[in-house]
DNA sequence: CTTAGGG
DNA sequence: CCCTAAG
């Protein structure tokens, strides 16, 4: 015992010296609550997070440390050595176990060795640092982390939580929904823990409850959380509770109900405990390479034989990277879980919750037509809600938004796309449905896909940033050009990844047909744009207008004329097939429209100008020749089928006459 | 589906 | 360009 005490003291001193104050500071500063809780659960906190709370425990640890010391050297450097370490640990463990017994309980051998301690300390320091880093990176308040640590420690030391967790898990593996959180503390806790357990599973991988840890857990009892939650929180004032709440959940709460606060906080704590426990467990069983993440884990290891090996590894040298990553994930997960929890539980009105819900409900099943009529609706209307994206939080450990798993079909993609609505300036995310050409998917589909992909990229960005940045519609063209290259390849799957930066260009597909086609027209290089620059322009007022407008290039016009001359007017589909096969965009309708315009233009021009194609105001100057041709064709066709247009003909004929006269 | 016409 | 209505 004495030895132990001495050890503790030394540890403390060391920690302080090293400047690992963080743990202590966090603990002390954030909440008074911590003290009570800590005391009960983790007494060691004050000393150092890592140090076991109880003397007995400490002793145990020391023992472990010794072992570690001995064994560690072997395992040391490998970050991945988990397995090895484990084995070793197990071997070492066996010794300890024999002496200690399986349960971490206080089987202590007063062998404390400084060297072991030192190592341990070092490890701790590293961890702490990493934690700090993470925290900073995440921007999460120290408190939370402190909490987590505390929790973890507590849980670890007592092993009660883990036990609960395990139990719950085994019992209610898939229960996600908390029926009623309000019922009783116990119930809520249970539910929560169960849920958490489940949640934790996916990210980390299948958890098995056969590990030593589980055994330990079983031995322990579930009263822990109750104690923690109720007792600790009981003493706090509302204000303190609020603070605690904030620390725990990272947000403010307006609720003044002490009970509620307590409950929630308790839950949060429990959760965190659970999480940590779970992680730990997982590690034991699965040996995730990440190595143990948190100091508490180390503590665990020390205490429990199971984690022993891991602790060792860490103590010696864990690869920082894996370490950090793990931690990050861990934290994130926790946060998410908390968030979910809060959402589910939400007794009061929290912004977060509101947001979530709001997002979910946004979608409106409106019909397309209706949509058109009412712009507002159009925006909101979305077949598939993106809400899913938001929801993703649950199972997903990944910090980023996972919009959707990549393998989805194009449709899905489209669905997924989210657009930040410029509306109101508030960065509301609205699912964006690209308006595809209803009529012709054919080749256009490709274009669409591409479009979607681009759009998606934007969307993704938006989502991530949640800023009011809107895709610049006008630039679409430019973008198109830029993308051109990519567009060619693009036709296939945009494959928007969950990754925010979707911009990444896909490897080029063999599909450069477009390029070939383009090759046909030498005239317009600009025209060759294989991709259609479809961009939807969100008009503040009218809703989104497709900016699809693709300027007709001269080549196109020429082709059109040619086609018309060949096939005649009205056989647009034919023309399209013949002359515009290469152009995916430009539907027969488009051709027709263009022709109409051309006709109009030619006629309009003709009178004033003698066929001088002065008309250059348009970006694309149409050569007189073309106009002439158009006129000619118009005339011809008009004349050819006299039946058709008695009404129409007159005008044409007249124009023709004029033209002719002028021409001739 | 394609064509023709209106917005 | 988009959207629809007709054949």
């Amino acid at each position: 015992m004495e030895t132990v005490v001495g050890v503790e003291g030394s540890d403390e001193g060391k920690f302080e010296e090293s400047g690992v104050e963080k743990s202590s500071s966090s603990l002390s500063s954030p909440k008074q609550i911590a003290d009570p809780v800590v005391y009960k659960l983790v007494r060691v906190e004050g000393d150092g997070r890592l140090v076991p709370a109880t003397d007995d425990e400490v002793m145990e640890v020391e023992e472990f440390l010794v072992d570690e010391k001995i064994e560690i050297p072997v395992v040391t450097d490998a970050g991945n050595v988990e397995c090895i370490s484990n084995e070793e640990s197990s071997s070492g463990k066996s010794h300890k176990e024999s002496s200690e017994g399986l349960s971490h309980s206080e089987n202590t051998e007063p062998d404390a060795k400084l060297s072991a301690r030192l190592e341990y300390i070092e490890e701790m320091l590293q961890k702490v640092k990493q934690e700090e880093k993470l925290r900073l990176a995440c921007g999460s308040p120290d408190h939370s982390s402190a909490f987590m640590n505390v929790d973890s420690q507590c849980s670890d030391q007592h092993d009660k939580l883990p036990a609960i967790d395990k139990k719950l898990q085994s019992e209610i593996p898939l229960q996600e929904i908390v029926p009623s959180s309000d019922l009783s503390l116990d119930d809520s806790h249970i539910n929560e823990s169960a849920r958490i357990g489940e949640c934790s599973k996916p990210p980390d991988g299948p958890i098995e409850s056969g590990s030593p840890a589980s055994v330990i857990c079983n031995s322990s009892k579930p009263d822990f959380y109750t104690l923690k939650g109720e007792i600790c929180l009981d003493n706090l004032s509302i204000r303190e509770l609020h603070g605690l709440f904030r620390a725990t959940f990272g947000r403010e709460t307006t609720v003044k109900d002490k009970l509620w606060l307590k409950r929630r906080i308790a839950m949060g704590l429990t959760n965190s405990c659970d999480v940590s426990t779970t992680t730990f467990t997982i590690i034991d069983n699965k040996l995730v390479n990440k190595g143990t993440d948190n100091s508490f884990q180390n503590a665990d290891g020390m205490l429990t034989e199971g984690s022993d090996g891991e602790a060792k590894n860490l103590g010696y040298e864990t690869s920082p990277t894996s370490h950090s990553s793990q931690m990050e994930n861990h934290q994130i997960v926790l946060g998410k879980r908390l968030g979910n929890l809060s959402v589910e539980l939400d007794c009061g009105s929290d912004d977060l919750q509101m947001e979530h819900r709001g997002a979910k409900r946004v979608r409106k099943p409106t019909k397309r037509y209706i949509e058109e009529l009412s712009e507002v609706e159009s925006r909101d209307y979305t077949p598939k809600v993106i809400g899913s994206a938001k929801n993703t939080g649950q199972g997903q450990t990944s910090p980023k938004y996972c919009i959707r798993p990549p393998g989805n079909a194009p449709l899905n993609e489209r669905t997924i796309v989210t657009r930040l609505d410029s509306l109101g300036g508030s960065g509301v995310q609205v699912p964006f449905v690209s308006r595809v050409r209803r009529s012709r998917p054919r080749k256009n589909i490709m274009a669409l896909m591409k479009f979607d992909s681009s759009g998606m990229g934007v969307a993704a960005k938006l989502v991530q940033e949640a800023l009011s940045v809107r895709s610049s519609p006008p630039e679409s063209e430019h973008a198109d050009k830029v993308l051109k290259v990519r567009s060619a390849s693009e036709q296939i799957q945009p494959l928007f990844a969950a990754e925010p930066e979707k911009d990444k260009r896909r490897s080029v597909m063999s599909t450069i047909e477009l390029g070939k086609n383009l090759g046909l027209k030498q005239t317009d290089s600009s025209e060759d744009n294989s991709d259609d620059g479809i961009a939807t322009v969100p008009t503040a007022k009218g809703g989104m207008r497709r900016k699809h407008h693709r300027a007709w290039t001269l080549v196109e016009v020429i082709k059109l004329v040619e086609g018309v001359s060949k096939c005649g007017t009205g056989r647009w589909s034919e023309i399209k097939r013949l002359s515009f096969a290469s152009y995916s965009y430009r539907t027969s309708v488009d051709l027709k429209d263009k022709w109409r315009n051309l006709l109009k233009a030619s006629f309009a021009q003709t009178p004033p100008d003698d066929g001088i194609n002065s008309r250059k105001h348009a970006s694309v100057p149409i050569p007189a020749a073309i106009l002439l041709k158009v006129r000619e064709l118009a005339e011809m066709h008009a004349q050819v089928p006299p039946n058709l247009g008695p009404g129409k003909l007159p005008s044409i004929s007249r124009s023709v006459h004029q033209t002719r006269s002028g021409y001739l």
Side-chain angles (χ1 to χ4, degrees):
Chain A
M1 296 297 277
E2 294 176 4
T3 319
V4 173
V5 175
V7 172
E8 276 191 32
S10 67
D11 282 357
E12 286 186 14
K14 285 225 168 188
F15 276 97
E16 288 180 5
E17 284 180 7
S18 13
V20 184
E21 316 150 359
K22 175 191 149 190
S23 62
S24 64
S25 68
S26 61
L27 285 173
S28 63
S29 68
K31 331 100 193 189
Q32 304 100 347
I33 298 173
D35 291 347
V37 177
V38 171
Y39 269 100
K40 280 220 163 177
L41 303 177
V42 183
R43 181 186 146 201
V44 183
E45 270 189 13
D47 304 351
R49 287 204 302 244
L50 306 178
V51 183
T54 317
D55 295 357
D56 297 354
E57 289 179 4
V58 171
M59 294 187 58
E60 269 190 20
V61 173
E62 286 181 0
E63 198 184 328
F64 280 75
L65 287 174
V66 174
D67 280 357
E68 284 180 12
K69 189 177 159 193
I70 297 168
E71 290 185 4
I72 290 173
V74 179
V75 180
T76 315
D77 40 354
N80 301 346
V81 190
E82 310 157 353
C83 297
I84 299 173
S85 65
N86 261 354
E87 289 184 357
E88 290 184 358
S89 66
S90 64
S91 64
K93 199 177 18 177
S94 62
H95 286 301
K96 293 171 190 175
E97 282 185 6
S98 60
S99 62
E100 288 185 0
L102 242 170
S103 58
H104 64 306
S105 59
E106 336 126 344
N107 208 346
T108 55
E109 292 183 7
D111 293 342
K113 307 211 170 167
L114 288 178
S115 60
R117 262 189 261 143
L118 287 174
E119 288 178 2
Y120 187 51
I121 291 169
E122 276 189 12
E123 162 193 353
M124 286 179 65
L125 286 175
Q126 267 196 351
K127 286 180 181 177
V128 173
K129 283 181 183 176
Q130 287 183 3
E131 270 196 344
E132 278 190 11
K133 261 202 212 160
L134 287 176
R135 263 202 266 130
L136 290 177
C138 296
S140 64
D142 298 15
H143 311 300
S144 61
S145 64
F147 250 125
M148 289 178 56
N149 289 337
V150 174
D151 288 348
S152 59
Q153 280 190 10
C154 297
S155 63
D156 288 349
Q157 290 187 357
H158 291 267
D159 287 358
K160 294 175 182 178
L161 274 178
I164 297 168
D165 216 16
K166 291 260 166 180
K167 264 203 211 158
L168 290 175
Q169 283 187 15
S170 58
E171 288 181 5
I172 313 167
L174 291 184
Q175 187 164 3
E176 268 205 9
I177 305 167
V178 180
S180 60
S181 54
D182 296 350
L183 295 182
S184 65
L185 234 170
D186 293 358
D187 284 357
S188 63
H189 272 299
I190 293 171
N191 288 336
E192 294 259 307
S193 56
R195 244 191 25 258
I196 290 168
E198 185 217 346
C199 290
S200 60
K201 273 189 183 177
D204 295 343
I207 301 172
E208 293 184 357
S209 59
S211 69
S214 65
V215 176
I216 296 170
C217 295
N218 288 341
S219 64
S220 61
K221 289 164 189 175
D223 27 7
F224 163 70
Y225 52 77
T226 306
L227 284 176
K228 192 172 166 194
E230 286 287 345
I231 295 182
C232 293
L233 299 178
D234 238 359
N235 302 334
L236 300 177
S237 68
I238 289 186
R239 212 180 50 177
E240 290 169 344
L241 283 174
H242 275 189
L244 188 49
F245 183 92
R246 194 174 50 229
T248 308
F249 296 93
R251 60 203 162 91
E252 298 279 355
T253 181
T254 53
V255 180
K256 304 222 168 125
D257 186 358
K258 226 173 169 182
L259 223 145
W260 183 83
L261 285 171
K262 279 196 279 183
R263 211 189 300 154
R264 274 192 92 140
I265 293 170
M267 282 178 26
L269 291 176
T270 304
N271 288 337
S272 53
C273 285
D274 285 355
V275 172
S276 61
T277 303
T278 305
T279 305
F280 164 71
T281 304
I282 292 170
I283 292 171
D284 273 353
N285 290 338
K286 280 242 157 185
L287 299 177
V288 181
N289 2 354
K290 298 157 187 184
T292 59
D293 35 356
N294 299 332
S295 55
F296 56 76
Q297 280 199 1
N298 286 337
D300 259 4
M302 307 296 264
L303 298 179
T304 19
E305 72 284 340
S307 56
D308 200 339
E310 294 240 75
K312 280 196 215 159
N313 283 342
L314 289 178
Y316 235 51
E317 271 211 300
T318 319
S319 60
T321 315
S322 60
H323 200 76
S324 63
S325 66
Q326 168 100 359
M327 290 198 48
E328 219 182 288
N329 288 346
H330 189 78
Q331 276 201 349
I332 292 168
V333 174
L334 197 98
K336 282 193 175 177
R337 278 179 199 162
L338 288 179
N340 290 340
L341 259 166
S342 62
V343 174
E344 288 189 0
L345 293 178
D346 72 333
C347 306
S349 59
D350 289 355
D351 295 353
L352 211 97
Q353 297 168 10
M354 297 273 288
E355 280 186 11
H356 278 284
R357 300 214 164 170
K360 262 191 178 173
R361 307 208 169 167
V362 174
R363 87 155 179 197
K364 263 188 193 170
T366 315
K367 232 180 164 188
R368 205 187 107 229
Y369 302 98
I370 296 177
E371 155 191 39
E372 288 234 351
L373 293 180
S374 61
E375 299 297 342
V376 178
E377 284 187 5
S378 67
R379 289 186 188 167
D380 293 356
Y381 130 83
T382 305
K384 277 73 194 206
V385 184
I386 288 188
S388 62
K390 280 197 173 181
N391 294 345
T392 52
Q394 280 217 344
Q396 306 284 5
T397 313
S398 70
K400 307 195 165 178
Y401 259 56
C402 52
I403 296 179
R404 265 202 197 189
N408 290 344
L411 287 179
N412 287 343
E413 288 182 44
R414 203 200 295 153
T415 313
I416 297 166
V417 179
T418 319
R419 177 164 69 78
L420 192 62
D421 217 332
S422 60
L423 170 78
S426 61
V428 180
Q429 296 177 355
V430 185
F432 166 71
V433 178
S434 68
R435 271 180 159 187
V436 182
R437 304 182 154 271
R438 303 81 183 161
S439 48
R440 301 216 160 204
R442 298 182 185 180
K443 287 201 172 177
N444 289 346
I445 227 176
M446 291 166 52
L448 286 175
M449 289 179 67
K450 172 203 145 190
F451 164 63
D452 283 353
S453 69
S454 64
M456 276 183 46
V458 176
K461 279 185 185 174
L462 293 178
V463 173
Q464 253 199 347
E465 295 180 4
L467 293 182
S468 62
V469 180
R470 76 164 68 169
S471 60
S472 57
E475 292 179 3
S476 63
E477 286 189 4
H478 290 298
D480 285 353
K481 283 194 176 179
V482 175
L483 297 181
K484 251 193 233 170
V485 175
R486 154 198 188 175
S487 66
S489 61
E490 201 127 352
Q491 57 187 101
I492 308 208
Q493 313 152 336
L495 191 155
F496 58 106
E499 302 175 0
E501 358 158 347
K502 215 168 250 170
D503 293 349
K504 66 178 178 186
R505 329 224 153 187
R506 296 202 137 286
S507 57
V508 181
M509 303 291 235
S510 55
T511 347
I512 303 182
E513 299 173 359
L514 294 178
K516 282 191 205 163
N517 293 339
L518 293 179
L520 291 179
K521 336 173 163 186
Q522 312 148 351
T523 336
D524 278 355
S525 62
S526 63
E527 182 224 336
D528 58 358
N529 41 27
S530 50
D531 61 312
D532 58 6
I534 303 172
T536 52
V537 179
T539 306
K541 175 179 162 213
M544 40 198 47
R545 190 98 186 146
R546 14 271 186 238
K547 206 226 162 154
H548 195 127
H549 296 294
R550 185 191 210 65
W552 275 74
T553 63
L554 224 163
V555 176
E556 280 175 319
V557 173
I558 293 172
K559 279 205 162 197
L560 176 60
V561 173
E562 236 178 85
V564 172
S565 68
K566 248 196 248 175
C567 307
T569 327
R571 305 193 25 179
W572 305 114
S573 61
E574 270 294 311
I575 297 173
K576 200 219 163 205
R577 230 171 303 161
L578 294 178
S579 305
F580 289 78
S582 52
Y583 303 89
S584 56
Y585 47 95
R586 301 305 183 213
T587 64
S588 58
V589 174
D590 290 333
L591 295 183
K592 180 210 69 178
D593 286 343
K594 182 55 180 173
W595 183 252
R596 186 169 46 173
N597 288 339
L598 277 177
L599 224 58
K600 220 191 326 184
S602 69
F603 287 133
Q605 246 181 13
T606 307
D609 263 353
D610 287 359
I612 296 174
N613 43 355
S614 59
R615 161 182 207 179
K616 283 182 185 170
H617 51 281
S619 58
V620 180
I622 300 177
I626 294 180
L627 287 179
L628 280 181
K629 232 182 181 178
V630 171
R631 261 179 279 148
E632 233 185 313
L633 287 174
E635 184 187 334
M636 280 176 53
H637 285 283
Q639 287 181 357
V640 172
N643 318 342
L644 291 182
K648 192 180 183 181
L649 276 177
S651 66
I652 291 177
S653 63
R654 186 182 56 133
S655 61
V656 169
H657 277 292
Q658 290 178 1
T659 305
R660 272 215 169 179
S661 60
Y663 197 58
L664 297 176

